[in-house]
Amino acid sequence: MCDPVECIKDLIGNPLFKDHMVYAPARAYTDPAGLHRVIDGMWTADWWCDKQKQLPKGATIAPIILASDKTCLSQFRGDKSAWPVYLSIGNIAKEKRRQTSARATVLIGYLPAGKLDCFTSDARSLAGYRLFHHCMSLLLQPLIAAGENGVEMVCADSLIRRVYPILAAYVADFPEQCLVACCKENRCPKCLVAADERGDPLTSLMRDPELIKEILEKCKNGQHPAEFDDYGLRTVYTPFWANLPHTDIFLAFTPDLLHQLHKGIFKDHLVKWCLDIVGEDEMDARFKAMPDYPGLRHFKKGISTVKQWTGTEHKEMQRIFLGLLAGAVPSRMLVVARAILDFSYYAQLRIHTAESLNGLESALAIFHANKDILQELQVRKHFNIPKLHQLSHYVQSILLFGSTDGFNTELPERLHIDFAKEAYRASNKRDYEEQMALWLQRQEAVFLRGSYLDWLLERSQLTPLNNCTDHEHGYESDSDSETEGPGAVSANSHPMLPTVTDYRMVHVLAKTPAHPRRSIQHLVTAHGATMFLPALKLFLREHMPHNNIIPGLQDHFDVFRQVVIIAPPDPRVSESPKRWRIRATPEVHPGPGRKPGSPARFDMALTSDNIRTSNLRMLEGVRVAQVRVIFTLPRQFGTYPRALAYIEWFTPFRELDPSSGLRQISRSTRQLHRNAAVIHLDEILRPCHLIPKMGQSVDPRWTSANVYELASDFYLNTFIDLDTFHISATVN
């Protein structure tokens, strides 16, 4: 067991976090006038600002983020388990907290994970509740005095501040949230909604910590107030959070994307509902016929044979699920599916604005307005689903604590490997708790020593630099708090959201072509570039009018397998640059022996006639094309510095499909041939994904390899990634 105050001292004083540390709250905006607010990290949200006003002048808050999750240690056999408790602070940027190698989230202790066989089956559950709260009280005892009086700490910028560590957020799955809230699992751990009304879009009162403590105290004294049963409480007389200063444990529960959205509402409910409507065979056939896309998992055997699901599979299914359902389910069911997927994608945004929060509320309202179709189809009898009700608290949590990517339960799941499973493997599997703690202590000592040596080496190699700002995000260090001294700044100017104003990108080809000197006949037969020669002649007339050489069947071209597009990030979606691949590879037949072949891959892409005037963010001047050949001109045509691509056009975007909300397009033809052209490679903006219109039942001839060739009408898949979804949501 570690002292949480000492852990906070180590985190807030770690010089490696200096450029990723924030000491005061602020409000960030997208415009200089401060009219359009954005919510990013915890320091831009409301909780920190509100708490700052309650503390003495000059105080610095360390928002504590706790996470606990029981995990199994043994594999294949045995029932050994551990219950780690992790701690981090909201001063550290969420991007840094999510890096497990940065050690910005630390283990502070293990809770007892025994089965409590000494109790009867009726008393065992309540005993588990009481044991959990007693152990957490012992673990967090130092935070009471520190949160009331503050503790002087040396921060990462070498300044000494009086820091008030306050429990702000608690990351846990639903059963553990109920355990922390001292309520039954048929109740909401955040609000007072009735047990049989969780499927209705109601606005319920939030649980009041002071009232809950008063009710539990009355029960301890032998009374039995009516609110005890009305609120669904358990007789835990001394919750661990009862004496923690400035803490509202019920507001502290953060959204759990992994268990509530990806696994819960999507996989356990939406997919099951749709399987009941469509049938397993038809659903599997649709997954099998889904066109390929770089990085997209292809369920080549469907989904009915998948036995073990992870969050990754759930997310991969979401990327194609809406277009896959189109035509197979009633239109109102498609609206329900669209609403759930909209909510899931809005919730995953890294930065929120008023528009994205409105999108969350609108998606949930659309679901509730159309959910009765499931009862009409006799798929669902009621909607009293705990995880469905939890979605109604997402907007409030984002406004209080920032975007959900800073509090996802995926991080504790990953930390189990470093702090529980590997430590257990290093033990002799008997009395393993003490051995795990000793092993982790040694590992931590080695890590700290290595980090210190790396820091010394880095300092010795760097020249003196100007002082860094408090924030790594590019915001100005402006705060709306009333604090003074270190970390306090003026409240008259507004931090602004960094935006991608110049959407320039880099197109990268291999140093040497994968297929040098390919003939035009090869391009026609292997790449399907049937109109290559006419398209190239037209391109040369437009861009090289003084060229006297007419291309013919005798010419050979250097052909590349793919182009990699490196694009600047959209801060609302990702903090790192995007790397997209667009492939133009013909079919490879199986070789001798066991050498497998591979199908042809001619990817779809968004292209522009003029890369300087196109607006990808609004889909203006953008068309879909299939890339067939990526090549360069041979020397006889003169020196031409830009690579080229032979493409086949699709029609401009038509109206949105009224049920799915997806854009509709078709193949473009000219004189009974596919409308093809040769364009500059840098006119390709990014890859895109098309889903064929499958109708009520999918064509049995369609496979993932040939569906682009056999189908003629498609949907633009706006759920293929967050970038495309954000563009589509902005346009709509």
Side-chain angles (χ1 to χ4, degrees):
M1 185 174 73
C2 300
D3 186 337
V5 176
E6 294 300 320
C7 293
I8 293 170
K9 284 184 179 180
D10 291 338
L11 290 173
I12 205 168
N14 192 335
L16 296 177
F17 300 150
K18 177 181 177 181
D19 298 332
H20 310 277
M21 192 74 70
V22 180
Y23 302 105
R27 290 181 182 267
Y29 301 86
T30 58
D31 59 310
L35 300 177
H36 303 285
R37 183 187 177 193
V38 295
I39 297 177
D40 182 7
M42 184 180 282
W43 62 278
T44 64
D46 293 338
W47 180 90
W48 198 339
C49 294
D50 296 339
K51 292 300 177 184
Q52 192 75 56
K53 298 172 184 177
Q54 301 174 14
L55 296 179
K57 212 170 189 180
T60 298
I61 294 178
I64 298 173
I65 304 170
L66 286 181
S68 61
D69 182 38
K70 195 173 183 178
T71 183
C72 182
L73 297 175
S74 52
Q75 293 181 333
F76 306 115
R77 61 187 180 88
D79 56 353
K80 302 294 192 300
S81 58
W83 201 335
V85 180
Y86 304 108
L87 179 145
S88 187
I89 53 176
N91 309 82
I92 304 172
K94 59 184 180 179
E95 293 80 11
K96 201 68 177 176
R97 293 202 310 268
R98 290 202 306 267
Q99 297 176 10
T100 55
S101 60
R103 303 290 183 102
T105 301
V106 297
L107 175 72
I108 62 172
Y110 290 115
L111 300 176
K115 295 183 178 180
L116 303 179
D117 292 332
C118 55
F119 293 91
T120 63
S121 57
D122 295 334
R124 191 174 299 145
S125 175
L126 180 58
Y129 268 65
R130 291 175 175 174
L131 178 62
F132 171 84
H133 282 271
H134 176 70
C135 294
M136 287 292 289
S137 298
L138 297 177
L139 190 61
L140 304 181
Q141 179 67 28
L143 293 177
I144 298 176
E148 290 176 347
N149 306 317
V151 179
E152 287 191 350
M153 298 184 185
V154 180
C155 298
D157 57 1
S158 301
L159 297 179
I160 299 177
R161 295 178 173 86
R162 178 160 289 275
V163 177
Y164 289 74
I166 300 173
L167 177 58
Y170 200 110
V171 181
D173 56 18
F174 180 77
E176 206 150 315
Q177 288 181 5
C178 295
L179 174 63
V180 173
C182 305
C183 71
K184 300 176 182 178
E185 292 189 15
N186 66 345
R187 299 301 180 100
C188 173
K190 294 178 70 72
C191 71
L192 298 174
V193 65
D196 57 350
E197 295 179 347
R198 289 174 295 176
D200 301 324
L202 302 175
T203 302
S204 302
L205 292 175
M206 300 299 292
R207 292 179 181 265
D208 183 358
E210 297 302 323
L211 178 59
I212 298 298
K213 287 190 289 185
E214 181 182 337
I215 295 172
L216 294 176
E217 185 65 26
K218 289 181 179 179
C219 292
K220 182 179 180 181
N221 295 330
Q223 304 177 39
H224 193 80
E227 294 88 351
F228 181 85
D229 293 326
D230 294 341
Y231 296 173
L233 298 177
R234 305 293 297 269
T235 51
V236 180
Y237 300 128
T238 310
F240 75 85
W241 40 263
N243 297 319
L244 293 178
H246 309 290
T247 295
D248 186 335
I249 194 64
F250 306 113
L251 289 179
F253 298 128
T254 56
D256 179 6
L257 298 184
L258 177 63
H259 298 99
Q260 291 172 359
L261 272 179
H262 301 317
K263 182 183 182 301
I265 297 301
F266 176 73
K267 173 61 176 64
D268 294 343
H269 295 289
L270 179 61
V271 174
K272 182 179 180 299
W273 298 337
C274 294
L275 279 171
D276 291 341
I277 298 172
V278 178
E280 280 191 0
D281 293 340
E282 178 63 24
M283 186 70 78
D284 286 343
R286 289 172 176 262
F287 272 102
K288 293 176 186 178
M290 189 56 54
D292 191 27
Y293 179 85
L296 175 67
R297 171 171 177 175
H298 178 221
F299 294 88
K300 58 184 179 181
K301 295 182 179 180
I303 61 173
S304 61
T305 58
V306 179
K307 300 302 180 185
Q308 187 167 357
W309 292 91
T310 66
T312 302
E313 280 81 23
H314 302 152
K315 295 175 189 176
E316 292 295 312
M317 289 176 62
Q318 290 178 39
R319 298 174 69 181
I320 57 176
F321 198 67
L322 186 66
L324 175 143
L325 288 180
V329 298
S331 58
R332 288 188 65 200
M333 184 62 214
L334 207 57
V335 172
V336 168
R338 169 82 195 215
I340 291 176
L341 290 172
D342 276 344
F343 191 97
S344 176
Y345 274 65
Y346 273 120
Q348 295 176 62
L349 292 178
R350 289 182 60 251
I351 295 177
H352 282 280
T353 62
E355 289 76 16
S356 63
L357 295 178
N358 289 338
L360 274 172
E361 293 180 331
S362 175
L364 191 58
I366 291 173
F367 169 81
H368 283 296
N370 293 274
K371 66 185 179 184
D372 57 309
I373 182 64
L374 293 163
Q375 293 174 318
E376 296 175 8
L377 296 172
Q378 298 182 345
V379 173
R380 186 80 192 181
K381 295 181 179 179
H382 65 85
F383 296 95
N384 191 27
I385 304 170
K387 293 177 182 178
L388 176 60
H389 170 74
Q390 293 298 309
L391 305 189
S392 63
H393 297 300
Y394 271 47
V395 173
Q396 180 194 39
S397 294
I398 292 171
L399 288 171
L400 284 174
F401 302 113
S403 56
T404 58
D405 61 326
F407 307 98
N408 201 354
T409 52
E410 290 184 16
L411 177 59
E413 296 278 0
R414 171 60 182 84
L415 291 175
H416 288 337
I417 299 175
D418 297 330
F419 293 118
K421 298 182 185 297
E422 289 187 359
Y424 176 74
R425 296 189 190 110
S427 72
N428 65 3
K429 315 301 186 294
R430 296 181 180 179
D431 300 326
Y432 53 87
E433 293 90 349
E434 293 184 6
Q435 299 176 53
M436 291 169 61
L438 180 60
W439 185 84
L440 288 171
Q441 183 180 357
R442 292 171 176 172
Q443 294 293 315
E444 184 71 13
V446 173
F447 172 78
L448 291 175
R449 181 63 177 174
S451 299
Y452 175 67
L453 294 177
D454 292 341
W455 178 69
L456 287 179
L457 179 62
E458 183 180 355
R459 287 197 61 180
S460 65
Q461 294 175 346
L462 291 177
T463 57
L465 299 174
N466 294 331
N467 290 333
C468 297
T469 60
D470 282 337
H471 314 312
E472 66 161 348
H473 305 277
Y475 302 114
E476 300 172 13
S477 300
D478 295 328
S479 168
D480 60 359
S481 70
E482 299 178 355
T483 59
E484 293 181 357
V489 288
S490 170
N492 296 326
S493 54
H494 304 292
M496 290 180 57
L497 172 71
T499 56
V500 182
T501 55
D502 190 2
Y503 199 80
R504 293 180 181 175
M505 54 188 68
V506 179
H507 294 68
V508 181
L509 289 174
K511 292 183 178 179
T512 57
H515 306 290
R517 295 186 53 78
R518 293 302 190 194
S519 66
I520 291 181
Q521 186 59 39
H522 173 82
L523 300 182
V524 171
T525 56
H527 290 258
T530 55
M531 303 298 293
F532 183 85
L533 202 54
L536 181 60
K537 291 178 181 179
L538 180 61
F539 175 86
L540 294 176
R541 282 199 300 269
E542 292 179 357
H543 295 87
M544 302 179 69
H546 302 295
N547 175 65
N548 297 322
I549 301 178
I550 300 176
L553 295 176
Q554 72 281 358
D555 292 313
H556 293 74
F557 300 85
D558 291 340
V559 177
F560 297 83
R561 292 179 182 271
Q562 64 178 13
V563 58
V564 176
I565 301 177
I566 303 175
D570 182 347
R572 294 171 178 82
V573 174
S574 173
E575 70 273 9
S576 56
K578 288 292 182 182
R579 293 179 63 91
W580 292 311
R581 286 188 304 134
I582 297 178
R583 304 162 299 181
T585 58
E587 180 182 5
V588 177
H589 298 284
R594 295 185 177 182
K595 186 176 181 181
S598 61
R601 293 186 175 93
F602 301 112
D603 289 333
M604 302 293 173
L606 294 178
T607 64
S608 171
D609 293 334
N610 190 331
I611 197 170
R612 289 173 294 278
T613 60
S614 65
N615 187 352
L616 181 59
R617 295 297 171 201
M618 299 299 294
L619 293 180
E620 294 176 356
V622 176
R623 285 185 66 180
V624 175
Q626 186 175 24
V627 181
R628 288 282 184 176
V629 187
I630 300 172
F631 67 100
T632 55
L633 286 176
R635 293 183 179 179
Q636 63 263 30
F637 294 98
T639 303
Y640 199 76
R642 299 167 71 180
L644 306 177
Y646 171 83
I647 62 170
E648 294 177 349
W649 290 113
F650 282 71
T651 59
F653 294 120
R654 300 199 298 272
E655 70 282 354
L656 298 177
D657 179 74
S659 300
S660 66
L662 300 176
R663 293 177 177 270
Q664 305 177 80
I665 59 173
S666 304
R667 280 200 177 271
S668 177
T669 58
R670 177 179 294 179
Q671 297 178 351
L672 302 180
H673 293 282
R674 290 185 177 179
N675 186 8
V678 172
I679 64 172
H680 294 111
L681 188 64
D682 54 17
E683 293 175 13
I684 297 177
L685 302 178
R686 58 153 298 160
C688 67
H689 186 237
L690 303 183
I691 297 179
K693 292 186 176 181
M694 300 181 184
Q696 191 169 0
S697 60
V698 66
D699 191 326
R701 299 174 301 162
W702 289 2
T703 66
S704 177
N706 66 18
V707 66
Y708 275 150
E709 306 303 320
L710 298 181
S712 57
D713 297 317
F714 300 85
Y715 297 110
L716 175 67
N717 183 11
T718 55
F719 291 93
I720 192 63
D721 54 36
L722 271 178
D723 284 278
T724 308
F725 173 79
H726 184 251
I727 294 171
S728 173
T730 303
V731 174
N732 294 341

